[in-house]
Amino acid sequence: MTDHRAARSDDRTEAIMRAALDLALESGYSKLSIEAVAARAGVGKHTVYRRWSSKGSLFLDAVLSLNKDSLGHRDTGDIVADLREQMERAVNLLGRPPWGPLYQDLVGEAQHNPEVAAALKHRFIDPQTADTVARLRTARENGQLAPDIDLELAMELLSGPLYYRFLITQEPLTPDYLDQVLKALFTGMSPRP
Amino acid sequence: MTDHRAARSDDRTEAIMRAALDLALESGYSKLSIEAVAARAGVGKHTVYRRWSSKGSLFLDAVLSLNKDSLGHRDTGDIVADLREQMERAVNLLGRPPWGPLYQDLVGEAQHNPEVAAALKHRFIDPQTADTVARLRTARENGQLAPDIDLELAMELLSGPLYYRFLITQEPLTPDYLDQVLKALFTGMSPRP
């Protein structure tokens, strides 16, 4: 492919993903269709299908292309402060348009589309897990975590309550909630002796 | 309405919900439509619309009608054992057909249908939360939980990791996982002094 043709193809990919996001925000994900996306992007339906096999996989690429910011952890030496900062960045993203409602639609689609579920895990969840686990490992080595704690489990305990609010009760993810979750997870629910 | 007419109407409601569940299990939730449900149940489309305004609200009623077993907690005096038993019953339900995949579809639908999200919370999540909080309250009174723990928060810490696996990583909810979650939540992630 010449540089010129490659650039045109990139522009078209960009326009199709933009159209999918715009339509999902305007009319809701359930009304999204490949036909409508093609029409909005000014391309033929087959141009879309050449690259994406389903509405779900197009939407996945489009949503993930929006999130250019890293959700990685800093290492200031204080594990609670560093987790807190990363969680705050994550909930700021989840709690606001456009990413919040689009990401919610994407997780919804993953519940009945195994291809989207696998790609979401591979491309978005796994890299974040690896980053969190690396930060937790340093903390464990530095004596800031119980020496026998399973780090993958710790990641699930930290993420679970945020996703539970985001997807199930849809209650707000406030800074105060983050503080409470971290305090309870670090201290434990048992009475102190 | 005479008894005879009421019974016929109940039968029809039952047949429509059954058709919705069967079609979702056979062909996947995304292919479900009011038209197909009406055809399978042998009724007119308008008969379905008279009772349910959308595919989502019909599906919610149908899935919730399946779960006749209580997910309530026993009180044996041992909070960890009682939570463990309730969580095991919940994950047995989540991990197996027909309820598991149907409930997953329902939560997926809730992500882009606020009416379904609100009804799911009101009719399924809230009663379970009330039951768990009541059991946790007794435990706190009996000195089995830290005296300053927020009981609603504790409920979210217990449920979050299970939903995170169920909806996000789709990793198996094993008995061993339940033990690990409970141990970590009760002990806390901080190093013991």
Side-chain angles (χ1 to χ4, degrees):
Chain A
M1 208 186 277
T2 63
D3 284 358
H4 180 69
R5 282 186 57 198
R8 223 180 51 193
S9 166
D10 281 355
D11 285 353
R12 207 143 58 179
T13 297
E14 194 72 28
I16 292 167
M17 294 197 299
R18 188 70 255 163
L21 297 174
D22 287 346
L23 286 169
L25 287 168
E26 288 164 23
S27 317
Y29 179 75
S30 48
K31 297 218 177 77
L32 196 68
S33 69
I34 296 273
E35 288 72 12
V37 171
R40 174 70 68 101
V43 301
K45 195 166 85 168
H46 296 290
T47 305
V48 181
Y49 276 119
R50 250 199 305 277
R51 169 134 193 188
W52 292 283
S53 62
S54 70
K55 152 184 160 173
S57 57
L58 159 59
F59 191 66
L60 175 91
D61 277 348
V63 174
L64 295 188
S65 77
L66 267 190
N67 177 35
K68 306 287 192 205
D69 298 334
S70 157
L71 285 173
H73 292 76
R74 290 208 298 160
D75 187 349
T76 66
D78 177 342
I79 183 63
V80 177
D82 293 348
L83 289 171
R84 176 71 173 64
E85 185 191 81
Q86 189 275 347
M87 287 162 88
E88 182 147 359
R89 270 184 289 131
V91 305
N92 280 341
L93 209 54
L94 293 178
R96 289 187 202 149
W99 169 267
L102 292 169
Y103 184 61
Q104 202 185 351
D105 281 333
L106 183 58
V107 175
E109 175 67 22
Q111 302 316 312
H112 25 251
N113 187 331
E115 193 193 335
V116 168
L120 176 65
K121 180 169 185 301
H122 179 65
R123 290 170 50 191
F124 186 66
I125 302 296
D126 288 350
Q128 279 183 64
T129 302
D131 182 79
T132 303
V133 165
R135 182 67 192 83
L136 290 168
R137 181 169 291 114
T138 311
R140 193 175 59 184
E141 284 161 6
N142 294 342
Q144 298 190 322
L145 286 183
D148 59 348
I149 191 116
D150 181 305
L151 302 178
E152 302 267 348
L153 176 70
M155 159 71 191
E156 294 176 277
L157 300 180
L158 289 160
S159 299
L162 310 192
Y163 274 98
Y164 185 73
R165 282 213 165 178
F166 184 60
L167 301 172
I168 303 293
T169 64
Q170 306 192 355
E171 276 167 52
L173 290 159
T174 59
D176 183 54
Y177 183 64
L178 300 182
D179 288 332
Q180 285 184 47
V181 166
L182 281 165
K183 178 168 179 290
L185 288 180
F186 273 80
T187 315
M189 291 174 16
S190 289
R192 262 77 65 192
Chain B
M1 209 186 277
T2 63
D3 284 359
H4 181 72
R5 281 185 59 198
R8 223 181 52 195
S9 165
D10 281 355
D11 285 352
R12 207 144 59 181
T13 298
E14 193 73 27
I16 292 167
M17 295 198 297
R18 187 70 256 164
L21 297 173
D22 287 346
L23 286 169
L25 287 168
E26 287 165 23
S27 317
Y29 180 75
S30 49
K31 297 216 177 77
L32 195 69
S33 69
I34 296 272
E35 287 73 11
V37 171
R40 174 69 69 99
V43 301
K45 196 167 85 169
H46 295 291
T47 305
V48 182
Y49 276 119
R50 248 198 307 277
R51 168 133 192 186
W52 292 283
S53 62
S54 71
K55 151 184 159 172
S57 56
L58 159 59
F59 192 66
L60 174 91
D61 277 348
V63 173
L64 295 189
S65 77
L66 268 189
N67 178 36
K68 306 288 191 204
D69 298 335
S70 157
L71 285 173
H73 293 75
R74 291 208 296 159
D75 187 348
T76 66
D78 178 341
I79 182 63
V80 177
D82 293 348
L83 289 171
R84 176 71 171 66
E85 184 191 81
Q86 189 276 347
M87 286 160 89
E88 182 148 358
R89 270 186 287 132
V91 305
N92 280 341
L93 208 55
L94 291 177
R96 291 188 201 147
W99 170 267
L102 292 170
Y103 185 61
Q104 202 183 351
D105 281 333
L106 183 60
V107 175
E109 175 69 21
Q111 302 316 312
H112 26 252
N113 186 331
E115 194 194 333
V116 168
L120 176 65
K121 180 168 184 303
H122 179 65
R123 289 171 49 191
F124 186 66
I125 302 296
D126 287 351
Q128 278 184 64
T129 303
D131 182 79
T132 303
V133 165
R135 182 66 192 84
L136 290 168
R137 181 169 293 114
T138 310
R140 193 175 60 185
E141 284 162 5
N142 295 341
Q144 298 190 321
L145 286 182
D148 58 348
I149 191 115
D150 181 305
L151 303 178
E152 302 268 346
L153 176 69
M155 159 70 190
E156 294 177 278
L157 300 180
L158 289 160
S159 300
L162 311 192
Y163 274 99
Y164 185 72
R165 283 212 165 178
F166 183 61
L167 300 172
I168 302 293
T169 65
Q170 306 192 357
E171 276 168 51
L173 290 160
T174 60
D176 183 54
Y177 184 64
L178 299 183
D179 288 333
Q180 286 183 47
V181 166
L182 281 166
K183 178 169 178 290
L185 288 180
F186 273 80
T187 315
M189 291 173 18
S190 289
R192 263 75 65 192

